[in-house]
Amino acid sequence: MRAGNLALVLGELDRHGPLTRAALADGTGLTKTTVSKLVGDLIDAGLAVESGAVRDGERGRPGTAVRLSGHRVAALGLEINVDYLAACLVDLTREIRVTRTHPVDNRSLPPSEAIALLRSLATTVLTEAATLGLTIAGAVVALPGPVNPATGAVHRAPNLGWHDVAVTDILDLPLPVTVDNEANLAALGELWFGHGPSLGDFLHVSGEIGIGAGLVVAGDLFRGAHGFAGELGHVVVTPDGPPCRCGGSGCLERYAGQDALLSSGQTLSDLVTRLQASDPEAVTACTQAGTALGIALTTAVNLFDPDTIVLGGIYAPLFPWISTPAARTLHDRLNQMHPKVPTLIVSAAGTNAAPLGAAGSVIQQVIADPMPHIESPLTTPTP
Amino acid sequence: MRAGNLALVLGELDRHGPLTRAALADGTGLTKTTVSKLVGDLIDAGLAVESGAVRDGERGRPGTAVRLSGHRVAALGLEINVDYLAACLVDLTREIRVTRTHPVDNRSLPPSEAIALLRSLATTVLTEAATLGLTIAGAVVALPGPVNPATGAVHRAPNLGWHDVAVTDILDLPLPVTVDNEANLAALGELWFGHGPSLGDFLHVSGEIGIGAGLVVAGDLFRGAHGFAGELGHVVVTPDGPPCRCGGSGCLERYAGQDALLSSGQTLSDLVTRLQASDPEAVTACTQAGTALGIALTTAVNLFDPDTIVLGGIYAPLFPWISTPAARTLHDRLNQMHPKVPTLIVSAAGTNAAPLGAAGSVIQQVIADPMPHIESPLTTPTP
């Protein structure tokens, strides 16, 4: 009962705060006495804080308001991708407190070494968290492949060459850690740290060495029966196309993944420089990749029917050159049947979308179930 | 309050009945007095009926049980497809009371004439309903294209050649009528009248002249932002393939739709006869269609991640010849990445899956909101 009411009040503060106790009572249907007690508990636990005087809605009476506090609880978001590691720290108000990225070719390392490097990055961030006086509610690791959140393992990440790696066991951090697919988390990152709920139902595409997508429907991630939904990179573009690391052939990844876009040795910023100089070869490469992306997205729209499509990952810096051919293909193939062809927009969550979504999903969990952070206050882990 | 409690009791009877009043009180959390009053109302309204003595769960005491009654309220399911019309009558217990199918080439008729033929078929079934003493809560019309349930219109059904046809207005039946996509309704037909919830999350594929699909997740249809999700027939199989009536090219429909499978003049039963005699040309046609279907389903599994795929419509009689190449393609392309490649099974709801799902969705609505059928009892419409 108390756990549910604490979550009610915290959720109301999250969505609509700062709020007076009277407005909280209105919004939750609880009595003012109950609300005052619960707010007291939340303030004592460092999850909420007095916010000074505000006008109280329609009646215009000034009152003392309460809002979420970013001073005590935070969450750690981590990412292992093919060519980098990332960590970020987000507090309860979803303010981004720390971000760290570490470029490394994880394909050349055994999983245990890549994970040891991530532990080192995470430990640095945890030390900063301690300095900031923040206690960490938990961590989520974003991984480029289908994961099993129950075991903390990644089933198969073909672009890393990983198979059944028990990531959370090997990572062995002194706090609760789970794993999730990076494309899922990047979509949630866009929901919480990017364009947000104004997108309606949206498909967020993460262009990396692999291409993943996360579908957000009514503010929730569509995960599928086994958590493997949204594998846009393995949508078949041409059935007899080049073989793919997934075991199939002609997958989108082979036409529009990072390796297809960057000829050997070229970096992403090299490519952007050439595109800005209207280098014909670079423009053609993006037009071909964008057209293939448009074909896969035509299929995705036929199956998912989203309001909006958000392009993130490497497609964000390449947006002007990738999105035009993709949008044209989408329009040409869909406009007769669909009264409203989804628009393509560039991700606002940036390159840290996945670790931000990872940290955000821990914060979401704290807001949905704050009781553990009130009954037995967390101690700051000393890494 | 009363409306909600009536729905609680009726829902409990639907899922778990027959039940004693004591078991209903346990299951709903209502008092026995309240349950007795509500059950009385449901019995008076003809929605429930005394069911004789049953043992009352664990305690083993015999008691008088109550169950849903099929004697008063029923629903009309209708379908307009390219080469037939169908109507069926389903009672509150989801027993199928009447089914009628009328073969007709609706492509050769103006929409108003096709709809007039459907009205005539519906009127026949409504007369039978009156004879059976059934009152009709409403009707849903299954249509082969994206529909707007709010207006009762079909936006565009390219295989019928229809564009913005106000179906419910023209049909003008003396009862509440809405419209829905036939592939969506066929999926619900499979859920309620076919294999049912044992399928887990499933994709139901309706092979007709067009190919639609309905994804059922946790017992609910996944509709997308505009109700257009599941357009499997327009998943791109080969980007530079033959042009499709949708305005795209190389869509699955061009490889595995009924027109692609049946060479001109041949009927479905001709094809089945030839397949049973191992006619090489017929077997090759099905292998090619099944392989294309397997490619589109590979894509659908990568995006939707269902437990099971159900093949219905014309794929039901063709199942032995279509499913083998489709399953092989699916396995070859997915087995390295997916720990469990979904199995293909044949639809159990049969050729009437869509009108059954249509009638079932009206019944679902009655069970979710029985109040209108209690406050002002419906009169049997006299067509």
Side-chain angles (χ1 to χ4, degrees), chain A residues 19-37:
Chain A
L19 291 168
T20 63
R21 288 165 177 78
L24 277 169
D26 281 356
T28 59
L30 300 170
T31 66
K32 285 189 196 174
T33 314
T34 305
V35 164
S36 290
K37 172 74 180 75

Side-chain angles (χ1 to χ4, degrees), chain B residues 1-8 10 37-38 41-42 45 47 72-73 365-378:
Chain B
M1 190 69 154
R2 180 162 165 256
N5 287 342
L6 282 166
L8 259 183
L10 204 61
K37 172 73 180 74
L38 294 166
D41 292 346
L42 291 170
L47 302 186
R72 185 176 154 253
V73 171
Q365 185 51 40
V366 173
I367 289 168
D369 183 19
M371 196 68 155
H373 307 280
I374 286 175
E375 294 247 290
S376 57
L378 291 172

Side-chain angles (χ1 to χ4, degrees), chain A residues 146 155-156 158 201 215 217 222-232 234-239 245-249 295 298-300 302-307 332-333 336-339, chain B residues 146 155-156 158 201 215 217 222-232 234-239 245-249 295 298-300 302-307 332-333 336-339:
Chain A
H155 172 60
R156 189 148 188 282
D201 291 354
L215 180 74
V217 178
F222 176 86
R223 289 183 176 273
H226 317 93
F228 301 162
E231 287 286 339
L232 190 74
H234 302 290
V235 163
V236 184
V237 170
T238 309
R245 272 172 284 200
C246 76
S249 60
I295 290 164
T298 297
T299 284
N302 272 311
L303 294 179
F304 281 146
D305 180 26
D307 286 303
D332 289 351
R333 289 181 175 266
Q336 284 193 34
M337 280 290 282
H338 282 254
Chain B
H155 173 60
R156 190 150 189 279
D201 291 354
L215 181 73
V217 177
F222 176 86
R223 290 183 176 272
H226 317 94
F228 301 163
E231 287 285 340
L232 190 74
H234 302 290
V235 163
V236 184
V237 170
T238 308
R245 272 172 285 201
C246 76
S249 60
I295 289 164
T298 297
T299 283
N302 272 310
L303 294 179
F304 281 147
D305 180 26
D307 287 302
D332 288 352
R333 288 181 175 266
Q336 283 192 34
M337 281 290 283
H338 282 253

Side-chain angles (χ1 to χ4, degrees), chain B residues 24-37:
Chain B
L24 276 168
D26 281 356
T28 59
L30 301 171
T31 66
K32 285 190 195 173
T33 314
T34 306
V35 163
S36 291
K37 172 73 180 74

Side-chain angles (χ1 to χ4, degrees), chain B residues 50-130:
Chain B
E50 299 284 357
S51 178
V54 295
R55 299 219 155 258
D56 184 9
E58 295 165 5
R59 285 161 297 184
R61 286 184 297 120
T64 312
V66 182
R67 58 176 169 78
L68 293 189
S69 167
H71 295 303
R72 185 176 154 253
V73 171
L76 182 63
L78 301 171
E79 182 179 13
I80 302 177
N81 217 313
V82 180
D83 51 2
Y84 63 89
L85 301 168
C88 69
L89 193 70
V90 167
D91 70 28
L92 190 65
T93 68
R94 294 202 182 80
E95 192 180 321
I96 303 165
R97 304 293 289 268
V98 176
T99 58
R100 292 281 175 273
T101 308
H102 180 60
V104 53
D105 184 357
N106 288 310
R107 283 179 289 198
S108 66
L109 299 178
S112 61
E113 283 186 35
I115 295 169
L117 287 175
L118 183 68
R119 180 167 54 239
S120 161
L121 191 66
T123 304
T124 308
V125 173
L126 289 177
T127 306
E128 292 181 78

Side-chain angles (χ1 to χ4, degrees), chain B residues 19 56 100 106 139 172-173 190 212 227 250 252 295 313 315:
Chain B
L19 291 168
D56 184 9
R100 292 281 175 273
N106 288 310
D172 193 27
L173 286 177
E190 189 64 30
L252 175 63
I295 289 164
Y315 298 145

